């Protein structure tokens, strides 16, 4: 089972030598879900060795340049690669005009359909195995936060229970393991709960976009396994953060604490803190110890267990 979060761009507003603009990839069972697409996102994807799978969706938080200017180049590259599968791009109102203007003014021939879906808050996608939700945040322009939550998985299978119920070993066992109700040749109906343990909760990840600390993000992030929250400024610039629609490190940590999140990854850190990231981290850790300041090409795996590492490719910076 693959479920990874890869930080492709962790700077805010302006890139630095070691940080690209906001872009977070989630890889799940061969599907790629990209959250924001800052300038240079396509090169980060290539460097990380993720590839461009046909199952590929993009979620944009808002239309500030640092979060969307990677889209034109990415669309061009996908065309040069002869992509044929449609690409779904979700985001707030204005996204369609932006994409249309790229298509009109930049002379590339798209080899695939771009399906732009302008959304507000609510359920964005309900797939068989996961749900993506969105909520409005508190920024200087309309901005969305997103959650991706796996549906609960069937619990542990107990073969001895299946045997005692007289269920023949084989395809019927498999169906029950997958959570389906079955009917035996003698007419008895067996529910999965008769042979399985309690359902296992899925992974939940929340991505804040740009925001002042806000209740909507706390609600969206309730009990999340990972909250990726912006921390544009350190605590000494709280007034500036309030004015510009951003959060400080301590404010982000308080959101994680109130949401009862398990782990906090700070990102969208202002370039002024390059070389001084410990200050951001230390302020956050006083409130929420289970935190990192995410770096480009950092990787979080959720299966078989939660693990933070770094993509091992050489030559990443
Ligand atoms: Zn931003
Ligand atoms: Zn912004």
């Amino acid at each position: 089972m693959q479920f990874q979060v890869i930080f492709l761009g962790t700077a805010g507003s302006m890139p630095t030598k070691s940080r690209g603009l906001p872009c977070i990839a989630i890889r799940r069972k061969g599907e790629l879900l990209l959250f924001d697409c800052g300038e240079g996102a396509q090169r980060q994807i290539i460097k990380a060795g993720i590839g461009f799978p046909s199952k590929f969706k993009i979620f944009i938080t808002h239309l500030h340049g640092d979060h969307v200017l990677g889209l034109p180049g990415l669309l061009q590259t996908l065309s040069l690669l002869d992509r044929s599968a449609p690409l779904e791009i979700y985001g707030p109102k204005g996204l369609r005009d932006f994409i249309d203007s790229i298509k009109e003014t930049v002379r590339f021939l798209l080899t695939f359909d771009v399906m732009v879906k302008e959304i507000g808050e609510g359920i964005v996608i309900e797939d068989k195995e996961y749900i993506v939700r969105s909520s409005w945040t508190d920024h200087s322009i309309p901005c969305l936060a997103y959650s991706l939550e796996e549906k609960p998985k069937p619990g542990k299978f107990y073969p001895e229970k299946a045997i005692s119920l007289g269920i023949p070993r084989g395809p019927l066992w498999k169906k029950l393991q997958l959570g389906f109700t079955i009917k035996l040749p003698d007419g008895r109906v067996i529910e999965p709960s008769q042979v399985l343990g309690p359902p296992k909760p899925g992974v939940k990840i929340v991505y804040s976009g740009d925001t002042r600390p806000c209740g909507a993000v706390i609600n969206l992030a309730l009990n999340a396994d990972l909250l990726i929250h912006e921390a544009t400024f350190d605590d000494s610039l709280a007034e500036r953060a309030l004015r510009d629609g951003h959060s400080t490190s301590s404010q982000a940590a308080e959101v994680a604490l109130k949401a009862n999140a398990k782990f906090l990854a700070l990102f969208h850190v202002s370039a002024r803190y390059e070389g001084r990231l410990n200050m951001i981290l230390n302020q956050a850790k006083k409130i929420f110890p289970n935190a990192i300041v995410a770096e480009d090409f950092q990787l979080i795996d959720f299966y078989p267990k939660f693990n933070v590492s770094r993509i091992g490719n050489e030559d990443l910076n």
Side-chain angles (χ1 to χ4, degrees):
M1 171 72 190
Q2 177 197 50
F3 194 130
Q4 298 177 322
V5 171
I6 300 168
F7 296 92
L8 295 173
T10 57
S13 313
M14 240 171 34
T16 70
K17 269 195 216 171
S18 60
R19 289 173 182 271
L21 290 170
C23 185
I24 311 288
I26 295 182
R27 295 169 94 189
R28 189 181 177 282
K29 288 187 170 181
E31 184 171 23
L32 175 61
L33 305 166
L34 212 61
F35 292 83
D36 279 332
C37 191
E39 186 189 337
Q42 57 165 332
R43 187 145 186 266
Q44 299 292 84
I45 293 172
I46 291 165
K47 277 183 160 188
I50 293 172
F52 301 101
S54 61
K55 286 171 81 180
F56 182 10
K57 296 183 175 74
I58 301 176
F59 303 86
I60 298 293
T61 58
H62 65 303
L63 290 164
H64 275 154
D66 53 331
H67 297 253
V68 293
L69 290 176
L71 280 173
L74 178 60
L75 295 181
Q76 168 157 308
T77 292
L78 292 175
S79 280
L80 291 171
L81 292 171
D82 273 335
R83 180 183 176 88
S84 55
L87 178 69
E88 293 167 34
I89 309 181
Y90 299 83
K93 192 164 166 38
L95 182 62
R96 182 170 291 112
D97 282 349
F98 174 62
I99 304 274
D100 284 349
S101 69
I102 297 167
K103 289 201 296 197
E104 278 165 29
T105 52
V106 181
R107 291 286 141 197
F108 49 60
L109 287 173
L110 288 180
T111 56
F112 55 95
D113 286 334
V114 178
M115 297 160 72
V116 178
K117 304 195 179 181
E118 291 185 337
I119 55 166
E121 62 186 5
I123 291 181
V124 181
I125 291 175
E126 175 144 20
D127 177 271
K128 235 175 35 214
E129 297 186 356
Y130 64 79
I131 298 178
V132 176
R133 290 187 176 84
S134 57
S135 278
W136 292 115
T137 71
D138 180 10
H139 190 40
S140 54
I141 63 168
C143 179
L144 292 164
Y146 291 98
S147 74
L148 184 150
E149 192 173 0
E150 287 184 306
K151 294 181 178 175
K153 300 186 181 71
K156 185 175 167 7
F157 177 65
Y158 293 99
E160 61 277 14
K161 290 190 181 178
I163 291 166
S164 71
L165 286 163
I167 305 164
R169 192 185 293 264
L172 291 177
W173 279 30
K174 184 82 200 161
K175 277 191 169 175
L176 286 165
Q177 283 170 336
L178 292 172
F180 293 107
T181 302
I182 60 157
K183 198 170 178 184
L184 293 175
D186 62 13
R188 280 182 299 144
V189 172
I190 308 287
E191 299 291 340
S193 59
Q194 293 177 258
V195 294
L196 299 180
K200 292 181 255 180
V203 171
K204 178 176 177 180
I205 292 166
V206 171
Y207 174 63
S208 75
D210 283 4
T211 188
R212 299 179 184 96
C214 94
V217 173
I218 296 171
N219 285 338
L220 193 68
L222 276 183
N223 302 320
D225 295 279
L226 169 65
L227 169 62
I228 303 165
H229 200 288
E230 73 126 289
T232 307
F233 297 112
D234 83 287
D235 294 348
S236 70
L237 293 180
E239 272 177 36
R240 171 85 191 272
L242 181 68
R243 193 181 74 216
D244 295 355
H246 289 295
S247 299
T248 65
S249 29
S250 288
Q251 287 169 343
E254 271 161 24
V255 170
L257 186 68
K258 287 178 184 158
N260 192 35
K262 294 193 181 73
F263 197 82
L264 170 66
L266 300 170
F267 87 114
H268 199 278
V269 178
S270 162
R272 76 189 67 215
Y273 301 107
E274 198 70 357
R276 300 189 293 147
L277 291 165
N278 264 347
M279 179 165 72
I280 297 278
L281 185 61
N282 291 339
Q283 289 173 356
K285 279 194 156 191
K286 278 187 194 146
I287 293 162
F288 192 88
N290 234 357
I292 56 170
V293 176
E295 293 169 11
D296 288 17
F297 303 111
Q298 226 166 9
L299 165 77
I300 298 183
D301 275 297
F302 289 88
Y303 295 103
K305 64 181 175 62
F306 185 89
N307 183 48
V308 182
S309 62
R310 199 180 148 78
I311 288 191
N313 299 0
E314 289 171 18
D315 191 29
L316 277 177
N317 283 311

